[in-house]
Amino acid sequence: MRFALYMGYRLATALPVIFGIMVLNFLLIHLAPGDAASVLAGESGAATPEYMDALRHKFGLDQSIGMQFVTYVSNMAHFNLGYSYRNDADVSSLILERLGPTSLLMLTAFGTAVALGIILGLIAATGRNSWRDNIISLISLVAYATPGFWLGLMMIVIFSIGLGWLPTSGFDTVGAGHEGWAEVWDVGRHLVMPAVSLALFYLALYARLMRSSVLEQTGMDYVTTARAKGQTERRIMTGHVLRNALLPIVTIAGVQAGNLIGGSIVVETVFGWPGIGALAFNALQSRDLNLLLAIFFMSACLIVIINLAVDVIYVMLDPRMEI
Amino acid sequence: MNKISRRTALALPLGLAASSSTIFNSLAKADQPVRGGTMVMIVQPEPSTLAHYAVTAGNIPPIATQIYEGLVTYDWDQNPQPNLATSWETAPDGKSIIFKLREGVVFHNGKPFTSADVQFSFMEILKKYHPFAPLLLAELTGVDTPDEKTAVLLLANPAPYLMKALAGRDLPIMCKSVFEGTQILQNPSANKPIGTGPFKFGQWDRGQFVRLDRNEKYWKPGLPYLNHIIARFIPDAATRSAALETGEAHFAGYSAVNYADLARMKTNPMLDTTMKGYEMTPALSVLELNAKHPPLDKKEVRQAIAYAIDRKVILRDVMYGYGKPATGPLSSLFKTVGFYTDDVRKYDVPDRLDIANKLLDGAGLLRGANGMRFGMHLEVNSFGEQWLRQAEYLKQALAIVGIDLTLRSEDTATWLRRVYTDYDYDINEPFLSQGVDPVYGLNKQYLTSQIRKGVTFVNDSFYANPEFDGILNEAMREPDHDKRAVLYKKAQQILAEDCPLVWLIDVQYVSVFNRKLHDHTTGPLGTQQAFERAWLET
């Protein structure tokens, strides 16, 4: 009951925040010079003033900023994300189309980074200054310092062009018409390189963080006490140290989750992955305002939810913290 | 008409000889076209829409021309050949063109193709919504349909350039019943096009690909050979090259592959390149000089800038050797049709730097303490890396004659707004497509009437010369080809002297293709015409 109340309270306080973000996004976007009509006409190479006027009228760009804002807010209140004139499609359908591939990529990258990072950090910490620790530390240092797009391109050179093991780009083999497990295998092969390039930086971060966090915890008094009580090392590690050591990981994981859309722009571009990041970038380039605002709105909601989830996970890990 | 036929007869053997050696190689090596297969081509960037009749972005035709066809198509010498129209005749006064239409053509929705579709396409769609319509179809007053298989284009004045623009790329024919009674721009067929072409629209997976399927009822018997064409969208240039190198894609035209990657691609035994198929897509890279900003209002200063630039350096270091130094306002591709001349003031001369310095001294712009005469901003073209390279070279080149350039890079929307709406620029480096007739390239760029605030890629250098306007307007309506050629020669000479723009490079596009793909480039429109004869070795 208390938990439900807390969630309700947090969500209610998030509403004004999200509304504030909406207003800010709207104003910031309108500060940028250039509009969708001129970009569209620019790509066409020619246009008449009448054509441009017709475009602006169609896009609603001939209305005052105030009018446009009222339209925008009233659309949002009706859960209507609007129409992307540039793409000749509903914003919601454009976003929904991309949501699947984006979630797949992000969850894979996120899951890989968190799981492997924790495991590697643990391995490094338990064998402090051993060869395992040195290798893991070295690799994570290199991965930490390597830009994702460069890593992506290098993987294409090695695994696609050189070895021919993995496809260069895309979500699946177009026109292959795979079904069932063949489709899963096909998408999986396409997923490997983008997921790795997106995950590697945070994976390295988690590994380093986990290592130092575990080392810190093992020096604490409660570990000595547990040891004195005759508990096995394994029991000490899983029952006591791990829980406490995970707390900083959760904090950083919250940051990573918030960064995923932004960070995926480059990776999605390099690998031609049909995700939200690439969509957002195109929308910004072409001043596709409805689409851009919808993506911003979605990211804002996502961040609020992630923050909430992080707080809940804290409590689950450390009952001393109160809701 | 007779005149054109004679020219065709003369030019035909030449055209065949000139056609890509790669096509002959592939014919020799592979015996017979094979039916079936899926061709993957790279289109860059992903089109925003497939409404080919309302948006003319260059990335739409490679997909749309598989679906929409035009009344005619063109041979290698750019002479019209039958397509949806089987024959045509221009009235002696040049004010009407009678088209006989092909029997037995059906649209992808099963509706038969008739003159009503031609009338509707021209009058209700193209004339109202096509971005080039105010230029291309300005003289079109109506379309008569005496019977189902005859369409007569009625013109207020002769429009000789119109016969150059009747392919599916420029003026596609749509199905009347699909559009009638609907809002044209909101028509659902915008992104699910219905035409008469060899391929039908299949699926658009946004962010990924468009799939086209073979039209089993295509009016050319036995064609097309391919089962599917897939247009793939890969945003990253390096990845596009990689997709060709791994065989995931078979074809990439235009600038889909960086010039920098071409040398490497050529060493791949699986791949080949061709420069054919761009004869009807002439383009120049230029500098626009804002004559409203002194001292660019002085002819001598503009000429000095033109002299100061070594086009061969741009060609070598920015364009990787593809293209030619531009000599004037028309692409040398117009040589084929007799409109190009290099008998104009020449800026690529050995003593060009001395001339530039003298012109600037003469204009009273003496060097200051730091060796510079004056400073200017250069707006960097936002359409890709190579334009930044070009801008960096220009900064060095102009510094030699004492002009201090500051480079300004902005994203596309900001750049277009600054240059074409706010006119807040000194020098701009756009890339100008010239269309299939001098009317397109010259009229919109240099006529006084084309100084139109807020409109992109028109006369934003404020060139205004009544004598020149008169020549251009006369050339537009002159039915006699040779007289037009004389007028355009004069026009080029005037422009080269007045130097409102600095012409840099006569652009040459390159296609990269997999050697398993044959007969992909079968005419001067290249990727902007249907791949009906293309086939894949199995």
Side-chain angles (χ1 to χ4, degrees), chain A:
Chain A
M1 187 57 209
R2 190 163 169 212
F3 181 72
L5 265 178
Y6 171 74
M7 294 294 274
Y9 167 75
R10 282 289 299 265
L11 287 175
T13 49
L15 282 178
V17 172
I18 288 178
F19 183 77
I21 292 170
M22 272 168 60
V23 177
L24 207 62
N25 283 342
F26 184 87
L27 293 176
L28 282 175
I29 281 179
H30 280 84
L31 281 181
D35 64 22
S38 63
V39 175
L40 210 55
E43 287 171 350
S44 290
T48 61
E50 300 77 46
Y51 179 77
M52 305 274 286
D53 285 347
L55 279 182
R56 293 204 166 99
H57 180 69
K58 187 177 148 193
F59 297 171
L61 295 171
D62 51 352
Q63 294 169 340
S64 69
I65 294 276
M67 256 331 274
Q68 291 186 47
F69 183 66
V70 170
T71 315
Y72 168 61
V73 172
S74 95
N75 277 344
M76 293 300 281
H78 295 91
F79 298 106
N80 171 8
L81 294 178
Y83 193 78
S84 162
Y85 293 99
R86 181 187 165 78
N87 290 296
D88 263 327
D90 275 322
V91 167
S92 48
S93 74
L94 282 173
I95 291 183
L96 276 179
E97 270 175 25
R98 301 293 183 99
L99 215 52
T102 271
S103 318
L104 181 65
L105 175 61
M106 290 181 181
L107 290 178
T108 311
F110 186 68
T112 312
V114 172
L116 275 182
I118 290 174
I119 293 171
L120 289 177
L122 212 54
I123 292 175
T126 50
R128 189 177 180 184
N129 292 331
S130 70
W131 60 271
R132 300 187 307 218
D133 182 22
N134 289 336
I135 289 178
I136 290 172
S137 297
L138 184 72
I139 291 175
S140 53
L141 188 68
V142 172
Y144 185 70
T146 311
F149 73 92
W150 187 80
L151 185 81
L153 287 175
M154 287 307 112
M155 282 199 290
I156 290 177
V157 168
I158 296 170
F159 295 107
S160 299
I161 300 179
L163 298 168
W165 290 352
L166 293 169
T168 56
S169 56
F171 180 71
D172 52 8
T173 310
V174 286
H178 291 308
E179 277 175 27
W181 287 111
E183 168 75 6
V184 173
W185 171 245
D186 187 39
V187 172
R189 275 163 38 89
H190 283 81
L191 181 62
V192 175
M193 292 196 294
V196 168
S197 359
L198 199 55
L200 214 64
F201 174 83
Y202 279 98
L203 193 157
L205 198 62
Y206 295 138
R208 291 166 65 81
L209 207 62
M210 190 67 191
R211 178 180 178 276
S212 60
S213 180
V214 167
L215 287 178
E216 189 193 327
Q217 294 294 330
T218 43
M220 294 271 189
D221 288 346
Y222 73 89
V223 175
T224 317
T225 312
R227 220 171 252 143
K229 281 161 72 182
Q231 289 202 335
T232 61
E233 282 301 312
R234 172 181 291 267
R235 177 89 184 87
I236 292 169
M237 193 51 82
T238 53
H240 299 282
V241 173
L242 202 55
R243 268 174 170 257
N244 289 305
L246 278 177
L247 283 173
I249 299 283
V250 172
T251 312
I252 296 295
V255 175
Q256 185 199 3
N259 269 342
L260 274 173
I261 289 187
S264 67
I265 290 178
V266 173
V267 167
E268 285 180 5
T269 303
V270 168
F271 291 100
W273 190 264
I276 300 275
L279 188 69
F281 185 66
N282 288 339
L284 177 66
Q285 284 283 314
S286 57
R287 300 287 189 270
D288 192 344
L289 301 190
N290 284 346
L291 182 53
L292 201 54
L293 284 169
I295 295 172
F296 283 173
F297 176 73
M298 217 184 61
S299 324
C301 294
L302 193 69
I303 303 275
V304 168
I305 293 168
I306 288 167
N307 270 321
L308 195 53
V310 166
D311 287 352
V312 170
I313 293 171
Y314 273 150
V315 176
M316 284 159 61
L317 284 174
D318 188 350
R320 285 173 304 181
M321 290 187 200
E322 288 205 14
I323 279 179

Side-chain angles (χ1 to χ4, degrees), chain B residues 428-488:
Chain B
N428 182 35
E429 51 160 7
F431 167 81
L432 303 174
S433 296
Q434 295 208 307
V436 291
D437 188 278
V439 160
Y440 306 73
L442 295 186
N443 287 38
K444 76 183 170 81
Q445 199 64 40
Y446 305 101
L447 280 183
T448 315
S449 61
Q450 297 294 312
I451 302 174
R452 299 184 306 184
K453 203 178 175 72
V455 181
T456 50
F457 300 110
V458 290
N459 185 356
D460 60 326
S461 50
F462 304 100
Y463 182 61
N465 179 344
E467 183 205 355
F468 174 83
D469 286 358
I471 292 173
L472 230 53
N473 285 326
E474 196 186 336
M476 185 167 79
R477 290 176 186 151
E478 174 56 61
D480 185 283
H481 184 276
D482 296 336
K483 284 187 192 158
R484 283 189 85 199
V486 172
L487 289 168
Y488 280 127

Side-chain angles (χ1 to χ4, degrees), chain B residues 382-410:
Chain B
S382 71
F383 287 136
E385 189 78 343
Q386 61 169 316
W387 304 111
L388 184 60
R389 297 286 93 76
Q390 177 172 295
E392 284 162 358
Y393 165 71
L394 291 170
K395 183 178 168 69
Q396 295 172 25
L398 293 187
I400 296 173
V401 296
I403 301 172
D404 186 17
L405 275 194
T406 307
L407 309 188
R408 184 153 52 196
S409 296
E410 289 169 327

